[in-house]
Amino acid sequence: PDDGADRSSSILRVEVVSSLEKANKQRAGGSWLVAAAERFNQRQERLSDGRRIEVVVRPIPSGLAAQMLVAGIHRPAGYSPASQQWLELLRHGGITPTLLVPSMVGNRSVIAVRSAAWKQSGGGQLAFGPLLERTLAGQLRMGTCNPYLCSPGLDFMVTLLWTAAGHADKGGTLQAAELDRGSIQRSLELFQQKVSKITPTYIEQIEIWKRRPEALDAMVMAEQSFRQLRREPGFEELLAAPFGVGQDSPLVALPWTTGQERQALERFGRFVTKAPQQGLARNQGIGDPGPAPAR
């Protein structure tokens, strides 16, 4: 303030740690939650005590943020990973999140694959199983991302183990005891030998692929990024195979979140799930995922 008065107590600033694909202001088409927060802040909503709510969004990869929360390194008021799988890992680490919004926006994991490479490998129905088989057979060069940091990477690893355990045919849920099977261990080891490239996040790998289109035939990513990548020269013919669980971007409060911070987060959650903000999300390729191009 010009008069030098300290009015910091008139604002309740709440920080939301968010997954990268919806909160990275440095990346075109990846800053939906930041834009939504800016719109919310312009409304100057106030709590019952008169303080104005200000939402600040900090982009951190979902898995890294979960590790930081468990370790006590960072204590934001809210957390919005790409997938609810990370909430299970928080609980496993001794932190019980409180679900405020089950889904702020929709997204999902896909394997993007070059149409020519898929046809050359034999074509047919494009799905997770055949893509994995051809990668293990050395017919496709696939890239993925760190499953401890990135939701599509975690989704891919869980789906690989689920498939290796035979659940693709018989259904059911992957059990911890199954992970000790020799067949599952061999499948995992073989994939680690055959995978062409692993980066911390798929966003970094996309940039590498754009610079060196010949480096990969297929890559694990979020559908939002797949749709954006198809607009790039040389990637127009990309196909996609959806897999795994939905990336629904929940919003949670944490054990240290105060009652008033929780109220502020709830207001923000209601704001971003309304039609105008969901329309903004769809403009960036997220929200209400449709059929992915495949044949």
Side-chain angles (χ1 to χ4, degrees):
D2 292 339
D3 59 10
D6 181 7
R7 296 194 177 92
S8 59
S9 60
S10 67
I11 298 174
L12 176 65
R13 184 171 290 109
V14 291
E15 180 183 327
V16 176
V17 166
S18 167
S19 54
L20 292 182
E21 64 276 349
K22 65 178 184 286
N24 188 351
K25 199 170 183 179
Q26 305 304 315
R27 180 170 165 263
S31 60
W32 168 71
L33 195 61
V34 175
E38 291 172 349
R39 289 184 176 187
F40 177 81
N41 292 340
Q42 289 171 3
R43 295 162 59 91
Q44 298 195 2
E45 292 199 16
R46 295 182 181 274
L47 297 167
S48 58
D49 64 3
R51 286 188 294 172
R52 177 168 59 83
I53 301 169
E54 182 176 287
V55 175
V56 178
V57 178
R58 185 187 299 272
I60 301 177
S62 297
L64 177 59
Q67 295 172 40
M68 293 171 68
L69 296 176
V70 170
I73 295 173
H74 193 49
R75 290 198 163 192
Y79 174 47
S80 180
S83 166
Q84 294 212 23
Q85 293 180 98
W86 299 108
L87 304 184
E88 292 301 319
L89 292 175
L90 278 189
R91 295 184 183 100
H92 183 71
I95 293 180
T96 303
T98 300
L99 188 63
L100 303 180
V101 182
S103 176
M104 291 202 296
V105 70
N107 208 344
R108 61 183 173 186
S109 301
V110 303
I111 300 175
V113 58
R114 289 192 174 279
S115 176
W118 180 245
K119 291 177 181 177
Q120 187 175 355
S121 71
Q125 181 181 6
L126 183 61
F128 183 91
L131 278 164
L132 179 60
E133 291 172 2
R134 295 180 195 184
T135 299
L136 297 181
Q139 296 174 300
L140 289 173
R141 298 167 300 165
M142 185 187 296
T144 187
C145 45
N146 189 328
Y148 295 101
L149 297 180
C150 194
S151 293
L154 176 62
D155 225 0
F156 183 86
M157 187 60 61
V158 171
T159 307
L160 185 156
L161 297 172
W162 181 82
T163 302
H167 291 289
D169 296 323
K170 63 183 181 183
T173 303
L174 181 68
Q175 302 297 318
E178 294 178 299
L179 300 180
D180 292 330
R181 289 182 188 173
S183 59
I184 293 183
Q185 294 295 330
R186 286 192 294 273
S187 294
L188 181 57
E189 290 170 3
L190 183 57
F191 177 77
Q192 290 171 333
Q193 294 169 11
K194 294 293 184 178
V195 68
S196 296
K197 191 167 187 61
I198 298 177
T199 55
T201 71
Y202 67 89
I203 292 174
E204 294 165 320
Q205 193 162 124
I206 286 174
E207 295 304 314
I208 295 172
W209 203 10
K210 285 161 65 174
R211 293 194 299 270
R212 296 181 55 219
E214 74 287 351
L216 295 171
D217 299 318
M219 187 187 140
V220 175
M221 64 181 71
E223 183 178 25
Q224 169 198 13
S225 294
F226 162 75
R227 294 186 180 279
Q228 293 169 351
L229 185 58
R230 285 188 95 227
R231 303 189 191 111
E232 297 286 335
F235 291 91
E236 299 90 346
E237 299 303 316
L238 277 185
L239 308 175
F243 68 93
V245 300
Q247 293 185 31
D248 41 16
S249 286
L251 176 63
V252 302
L254 299 156
W256 50 80
T257 306
T258 67
Q260 290 188 316
E261 287 174 336
R262 176 171 170 166
Q263 290 179 34
L265 290 172
E266 289 172 340
R267 288 200 196 181
F268 179 59
R270 287 195 294 270
F271 175 78
V272 300
T273 52
K274 290 181 179 178
Q277 314 323 315
Q278 294 298 300
L280 180 65
R282 285 192 290 275
N283 289 340
Q284 295 192 11
I286 51 177
D288 190 26
R295 58 177 177 268

